[in-house]
Amino acid sequence: MPTEARAGGGGLGVRLTLRLAWRNLRRNRRRTWITATTVALAVMLLQLEVATIIGVERQSMDNLIWYQTGHAKVFAAGYFPERDELPLDRVIADAAGLARRLDAIPGLAAAAPRIVFAAQLSDGRDQVPCTGIGIDLEGGETEVFRIPQAVAAGTFLAAGQPGMLVGSGLAELFGVRPGGWLTVVAKTRHGAYEALELPIVGLVGTGNPDIDRSSFFVPLATASRMLAMDSGATEISIRFGSAAGQQATLDRVRSALATEPGLEVLGWRDLEQDYLAMATAERINNGIVLGIFVLLGVVGVANTVMLAAFERTREIGMLMALGLRSAGIRVIFVAEGALLGFLGAAVGTALAVGVMIPYAAYGLNLTALYGEIDLGYPVSDRLYGAIDGTALGVTLLLTAVLSAIASFYPALRASRQRPAEALRHV
Amino acid sequence: MVAAARLTDVKKTYRTDHLEVAAVRGISLEIEPAAFMSIAGPSGSGKTTLLNLLGALDTPTSGMIAVGERSTVGLSARELADFRNAHLGFVFQTFNLVPVLTARENVELPLQLQGLADRAERRTRVEAILREVGLGEMMDRRPNELSGGQQQRVAIARALVKGPSLVLADEPTANLDTATAHEIMDLMREMNARAGTTFVFSTHDPLVMDHATRVVHLRDGLVESDERREPGRAH
């Protein structure tokens, strides 16, 4: 049998479909707004949660870069796989000289040698295993890291002055303050034990638990003497000049050191693979929970579309009589659901942005709200939300898509009616 | 001459789990082109079922149905939709306009469904037919801003705008007062005469039947009488 070919494909076209969807939503405004409000609340919470997650991740990355990894590090070959042991037998010789050579590389802001070593801190009664970090007070240390800015009590280390900076959590554990003394016990590079009593000149609070709870800082010269490192260091930390072109700078550093097989260069992402994996897992976990939250919102959309389709059964029959195919009926109701979801999501997003602006500007003082808590991320006590246009847009569109998907079943039911029966509906 | 529509021994039985109702029990009819035909009969006689079968809104249990030279039996739901879109116009008892669209947009709907992409041509055709049915000044009103008679005029314009070969009207005057009913019948008759479009309408109102050139009476799903007459006008 011949069929009637149609340029319009038996549908209403995008413009008319959207116009119909919009006007049909306005037919029962109260119901539309109740449903849209449910979606809006879900999306608002989702957007705020996403802003928090992105904010936490950005703060964490900044924290790691400013207090722990820099943008990159140079190690002696074979050091990195054994880094947890803090070995002193894989050392960069003439570290200060190498740091100066690195400084000359375009795009590199500063390079600083460090000696990171395993130690025990003791106050005479208790002994706590922790990480000692020897920092070069005369080189680029303060350009690579922001330890001076993180001094929460007392002062920063001074060149030529004996002293130590202790992580705030560690100081709390010992019950010490600036002016107190602690003894450092560590094995030298040659395996002999060495002890050194040092005055505490300041406390460091970075928000990074690895530093605050289990690290202390001493001048590089002090560490070098104590550990018999001569002119060697365990690492050279590097800061790049600008955010743009970081990979190119890293490549230049690698090229510059290519002729020295005893060294390897790792970017901060390589250094913090564990953190990045944890952050990805957290993002997936949060995504699942929040996805369920939004799904509950779009179930309301499906319900509204189902009611609308039922109320408009005779209209569906009339449209079928005019020649609208079943697919066209489905498109009408799916578009209505998508538009309803989009409307709710747009309102929710607008509300969320209204909250996000002060959240991003002033942050949320977690310590004031909850006391000392561990978020599992290296962030300070003030949490800043992040306004991310892509995340806002994706969430908005995703809600509309989920609403469309949720509307498909009621739309399918509506489209499966026989026209004669639909027209008889009272 | 090819008939506008032809039904050959058409039967329609509705079945549920416990019940079987024979709504149409073997009807054969040949509807000549440009006919203005009324299907009459009491409630339950099979008028609406017959119109639904003729309009490809429902499928017969057995028998043959053809509109023009095309048989509608055995077509898929999609093919039936396309067939209705191309060849048939409908006018309903309750007008069945889309309430969120204006008169102009309601009448434009079948043209958009046909895929007529030229907006200017759609506009021209819609405005012409709305003027013909006497709604030239009310094109941008929504159905709730129109009287029942005006809404039915919009429905007639919507049925005719695409130039169908057959217009089916199920009790088109049942929801109208007598004077408006006659106006609507006059309008349909005028359109029938002007364009040669075949009209088949159901009614149980003898005054409305007076407008028809042919009246087929149904009773219990069968043709009781088939009467050709000169159309009159009873007030």
Side-chain angles (χ1 to χ4, degrees):
Chain A
M1 282 305 300
T3 56
E4 320 299 327
R6 281 197 251 170
L12 294 171
V14 176
R15 282 183 61 179
L16 181 57
T17 300
L18 288 177
R19 199 191 317 158
L20 262 179
W22 173 243
R23 291 189 191 171
N24 278 325
L25 286 178
R26 294 172 65 193
R27 248 159 122 162
N28 194 329
R29 292 183 193 201
R30 183 182 296 179
R31 189 168 66 201
T32 295
W33 280 115
I34 288 172
T35 309
T37 302
T38 312
V39 175
L41 285 173
V43 168
M44 185 182 78
L45 292 173
L46 174 67
Q47 297 281 29
L48 288 174
E49 180 68 21
V50 169
T52 301
I53 291 169
I54 294 173
V56 164
E57 286 186 8
R58 284 185 187 168
Q59 274 180 266
S60 300
M61 288 174 190
D62 282 349
N63 186 297
L64 288 170
I65 290 167
W66 279 118
Y67 298 117
Q68 200 165 337
T69 65
H71 280 133
K73 285 188 175 185
V74 180
F75 297 109
Y79 179 92
F80 188 67
E82 294 176 17
R83 64 193 180 282
D84 291 341
E85 308 300 324
L86 301 176
L88 294 179
D89 55 347
R90 297 182 191 277
V91 172
I92 302 167
D94 187 20
L98 180 59
R100 278 194 298 277
R101 272 164 45 214
L102 290 172
D103 264 338
I105 293 174
L108 195 142
R114 282 183 155 196
I115 297 172
V116 183
F117 58 100
Q120 303 271 337
L121 271 188
S122 171
D123 63 354
R125 290 192 305 273
D126 300 311
Q127 195 157 323
V128 175
C130 44
T131 302
I133 303 169
I135 56 177
D136 183 8
L137 301 175
E138 291 162 341
E141 169 71 27
T142 53
E143 290 176 67
V144 178
F145 296 107
R146 284 184 172 171
I147 305 302
Q149 290 90 327
V151 172
T155 60
F156 187 58
L157 297 167
Q161 301 280 322
M164 67 193 305
L165 280 175
V166 180
S168 53
L170 201 53
E172 196 179 327
L173 189 68
F174 280 112
V176 293
R177 300 171 55 80
W181 290 74
L182 286 172
T183 303
V184 181
V185 180
K187 266 189 185 175
T188 69
R189 187 179 175 187
H190 308 297
Y193 278 99
E194 189 70 55
L196 183 64
E197 196 177 17
L198 288 169
I200 299 165
V201 297
L203 307 184
V204 176
T206 64
N208 183 329
D210 282 352
I211 294 174
D212 297 351
R213 294 181 188 174
S214 61
S215 296
F216 66 91
F217 296 86
V218 295
L220 188 71
T222 304
S224 185
R225 268 197 311 277
M226 182 183 181
L227 304 169
M229 296 291 282
D230 301 325
S231 60
T234 56
E235 65 183 48
I236 294 174
S237 300
I238 294 170
R239 181 152 195 95
F240 298 144
S242 65
Q246 289 191 354
Q247 186 58 44
T249 308
L250 183 60
D251 291 342
R252 277 197 289 277
V253 173
R254 285 196 170 121
S255 301
L257 299 180
T259 53
E260 303 193 37
L263 299 174
E264 64 177 332
V265 185
L266 294 167
W268 76 269
R269 288 183 182 278
D270 303 318
L271 297 166
E272 289 299 337
Q273 284 172 357
D274 293 347
Y275 162 75
L276 292 172
M278 183 273 287
T280 304
E282 280 291 315
R283 213 179 299 164
I284 292 168
N285 284 344
N286 285 322
I288 291 170
V289 172
L290 295 169
I292 290 169
F293 208 61
V294 171
L295 269 182
L296 291 176
V298 300
V299 164
V301 173
N303 186 47
T304 297
V305 172
M306 179 103 64
L307 277 172
F310 180 75
E311 286 168 2
R312 300 201 328 250
T313 301
R314 209 160 56 191
E315 191 176 307
I316 292 166
M318 179 274 293
L319 289 169
M320 286 175 156
L322 294 189
L324 185 61
R325 293 175 187 162
S326 297
I329 301 288
R330 286 196 289 278
V331 168
I332 286 177
F333 287 102
V334 167
E336 224 166 287
L339 195 61
L340 181 53
F342 184 84
L343 187 71
V347 172
T349 300
L351 292 171
V353 168
V355 177
M356 273 181 211
I357 291 169
Y359 184 23
Y362 305 113
L364 195 66
N365 190 338
L366 294 176
T367 311
L369 286 173
Y370 305 110
E372 291 291 333
I373 59 161
D374 183 2
L375 287 179
Y377 287 90
V379 292
S380 59
D381 58 356
R382 191 167 280 274
L383 194 65
Y384 294 89
I387 303 176
D388 185 293
T390 306
L392 288 171
V394 167
T395 305
L396 185 62
L397 290 178
L398 199 65
T399 307
V401 170
L402 281 174
S403 299
I405 292 170
S407 306
F408 187 77
Y409 175 66
L412 185 68
R413 276 182 58 139
S415 72
R416 280 184 173 167
Q417 298 177 92
R418 291 158 61 130
E421 286 171 12
L423 282 165
R424 270 202 298 272
H425 184 83
V426 181
Chain B
M1 188 170 58
V2 178
R6 181 180 286 116
L7 296 97
T8 310
D9 195 23
V10 171
K11 294 177 182 168
K12 179 67 183 179
T13 303
Y14 293 104
R15 290 189 178 89
T16 63
D17 290 343
H18 309 289
L19 202 62
E20 198 168 276
V21 179
V24 171
R25 298 194 292 158
I27 289 182
S28 295
L29 273 178
E30 189 169 307
I31 303 166
E32 62 278 12
F36 197 69
M37 183 176 128
S38 168
I39 296 175
S43 291
S45 60
K47 301 189 297 293
T48 298
T49 303
L50 189 62
L51 279 184
N52 284 343
L53 293 169
L54 204 48
L57 295 170
D58 208 348
T59 50
T61 308
S62 66
M64 288 298 295
I65 302 170
V67 175
E69 291 179 316
R70 292 177 178 83
S71 168
T72 58
V73 177
L75 296 185
S76 68
R78 182 179 158 143
E79 288 168 334
L80 286 173
D82 291 354
F83 184 85
R84 289 191 295 271
N85 182 256
H87 300 289
L88 302 174
F90 292 90
V91 178
F92 303 98
Q93 178 180 335
T94 48
F95 323 134
N96 282 4
L97 300 176
V98 181
V100 295
L101 298 181
T102 63
R104 185 198 300 274
E105 290 167 333
N106 265 287
V107 176
E108 196 179 359
L109 204 53
L111 299 180
Q112 287 170 306
L113 280 171
Q114 282 190 330
L116 183 60
D118 186 340
R119 276 184 82 182
E121 190 190 337
R122 286 204 310 261
R123 195 179 175 89
T124 306
R125 285 171 67 173
V126 167
E127 288 180 1
I129 194 81
L130 277 170
R131 274 192 213 98
E132 277 189 62
V133 299
L135 293 175
E137 305 300 314
M138 300 175 187
M139 293 186 193
D140 294 314
R141 290 194 189 176
R142 290 202 181 175
N144 63 359
E145 298 167 327
L146 297 170
S147 69
Q150 288 166 340
Q151 287 187 55
Q152 199 60 305
R153 283 170 186 268
V154 176
I156 291 167
R158 183 179 65 186
L160 291 171
V161 71
K162 60 186 176 182
S165 54
L166 177 63
V167 172
L168 299 157
D170 189 10
E171 308 250 14
T173 59
N175 280 15
L176 302 173
D177 60 64
T178 306
T180 310
H182 282 299
E183 280 174 26
I184 290 297
M185 292 312 297
D186 285 342
L187 175 66
M188 283 170 47
R189 184 76 181 99
E190 191 185 323
M191 294 299 186
N192 161 254
R194 193 182 300 171
T197 309
T198 307
F199 275 76
V200 178
F201 55 94
S202 68
T203 186
H204 52 249
D205 183 346
L207 297 178
V208 172
M209 278 176 238
D210 278 351
H211 290 266
T213 56
R214 182 180 172 190
V215 179
V216 173
H217 282 273
L218 299 186
R219 183 172 292 278
D220 298 332
L222 290 168
V223 174
E224 187 181 49
S225 67
D226 186 352
E227 178 189 347
R228 287 164 203 277
R229 54 164 81 166
E230 281 299 310
R233 171 88 188 259
H235 279 284

